[in-house]
Amino acid sequence: MPKNFLVATYSNAGRLLQAAHAMKEEKFRIYDVYAPYPIHHLDEAMEIHRSRLPWVTLLLGGAGLLIALLGQFYTVIWDWPMNVGGKPANATLAFIPITFELTVLIGGLATVAALFLRARLYPGKRERLIVEGVTNDTFALVLRKRDTSFDTARARQILEESGADLIEEKAAEL
């Protein structure tokens, strides 16, 4: 089912950032902003919070550490005990390289997988641009009209005052 959006396009980043701050002051919730390159302080204007992705890395990296240590202890102590130069079977210093490698490998792969899942990126997904040119030279600010309490007239006025080139209402599936 398509959702209703109010889309404003801009020709430069300064006006887009000004519009985002104006929307924040007026308590409008910005659905998304499209820009051909990163814009500093835009995340603050959009009130974007820090990602929880580092927690995925920490937890699954810790799981990789445990898998590496337990696997090596199991192999060296119970499954295939060997006497190598009179060293004790549980020489933990010998386990450090494999443990480090599995921690980094599993943590990194888990981070990439979580990012793809969260961003809903998968092979064969078609692009859905709400405005033509947002990947080239156009900046766009998108407001979602969730219910009847959304003040479209006030939002249009703020966007016009901030220097929007074009303001239009669209129904799209993003």
Side-chain angles (χ1 to χ4, degrees), residues 21-30 47 150 158:
H21 282 294
M23 286 295 168
K24 178 182 172 184
E25 288 174 8
E26 292 290 327
K27 305 291 189 229
F28 281 99
R29 186 167 181 262
I30 298 171
E47 297 181 337
F150 184 85
I158 294 168

Side-chain angles (χ1 to χ4, degrees), residues 3-120:
K3 300 170 187 150
N4 295 320
F5 298 99
L6 186 63
V7 182
T9 57
Y10 296 87
S11 57
N12 70 34
R15 285 195 240 149
L16 174 73
L17 192 56
Q18 178 186 354
H21 282 294
M23 286 295 168
K24 178 182 172 184
E25 288 174 8
E26 292 290 327
K27 305 291 189 229
F28 281 99
R29 186 167 181 262
I30 298 171
Y31 179 76
D32 207 352
V33 172
Y34 298 93
Y37 55 83
I39 301 171
H40 293 290
H41 305 294
L42 186 59
D43 53 343
E44 295 166 7
M46 293 176 62
E47 297 181 337
I48 295 177
H49 304 290
R50 285 184 54 94
S51 172
R52 293 184 299 258
L53 203 55
W55 288 105
V56 171
T57 307
L58 176 69
L59 291 175
L60 289 168
L65 182 128
L66 285 174
I67 290 168
L69 285 176
L70 293 175
Q72 291 176 89
F73 271 112
Y74 169 76
T75 303
V76 171
I77 294 173
W78 287 295
D79 191 36
W80 197 321
M82 294 175 65
N83 184 0
V84 180
K87 294 180 191 171
N90 60 354
T92 311
L93 285 177
F95 297 166
I96 289 176
I98 300 297
T99 303
F100 173 77
E101 292 295 332
L102 273 180
T103 301
V104 171
L105 177 69
I106 293 175
L109 290 176
T111 303
V112 170
L115 172 71
F116 284 168
L117 287 173
R118 178 66 180 99
R120 295 185 196 113

